[in-house]
């Protein structure tokens, strides 16, 4: 039998990757509600800050780029800045 910590880690990774893909889908859309955009930014930052060990440099780099792009938009600037601070 596997150690309990390994089972929890594997389950956590599966959930984290599923959440990552779902939130990324929202982040990449241009035609969604402003509140959804802002909350997606914060949700992704929180997910990566607690589950960073499950994501590679490519995934984290992609999110940092999206957050950086969102800094140029006045409506998503604050959420993007908060998200980048969470990742720092």
């Amino acid at each position: 039998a596997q150690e309990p910590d390994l089972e929890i880690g594997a389950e956590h990774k599966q959930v984290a990757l599923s959440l990552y893909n779902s939130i990324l889908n929202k982040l990449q859309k241009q035609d969604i509600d402003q509140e959804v955009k802002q909350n997606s930014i914060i949700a992704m930052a929180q997910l990566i800050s607690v589950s960073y060990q499950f994501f590679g440099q490519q995934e984290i780099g992609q999110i940092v780029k999206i957050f950086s792009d969102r800094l140029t938009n006045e409506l998503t600037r604050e959420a993007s800045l908060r998200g980048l601070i969470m990742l720092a």
Side-chain angles (χ1 to χ4, degrees):
Q2 284 187 323
E3 293 289 322
D5 288 347
L6 293 177
E7 290 175 20
I8 291 171
E11 185 176 324
H12 183 160
K13 181 177 182 176
Q14 183 179 7
V15 171
L17 294 175
S18 177
L19 285 171
Y20 175 89
N21 289 325
S22 295
I23 298 169
L24 182 61
N25 183 30
K26 297 290 184 201
L27 285 175
Q28 292 175 329
K29 290 186 178 184
Q30 298 297 324
D31 59 342
I32 60 172
D33 184 69
Q34 191 61 38
E35 190 173 344
V36 173
K37 283 183 190 179
Q38 292 171 342
N39 288 322
S40 295
I41 291 167
I42 298 302
M44 183 63 84
Q46 289 175 334
L47 174 65
I48 291 179
S49 70
V50 298
S51 303
Y52 62 90
Q53 67 270 27
F54 301 128
F55 303 107
Q57 187 175 6
Q58 182 177 354
E59 289 89 1
I60 294 173
Q62 181 178 20
I63 297 307
V64 170
K65 182 179 180 338
I66 290 171
F67 286 7
S68 296
D69 291 344
R70 299 293 188 267
L71 284 172
T72 62
N73 181 326
E74 186 177 334
L75 300 174
T76 56
R77 185 173 296 138
E78 183 181 343
S80 298
L81 186 57
R82 288 176 51 207
L84 287 168
I85 289 169
M86 284 182 203
L87 297 180

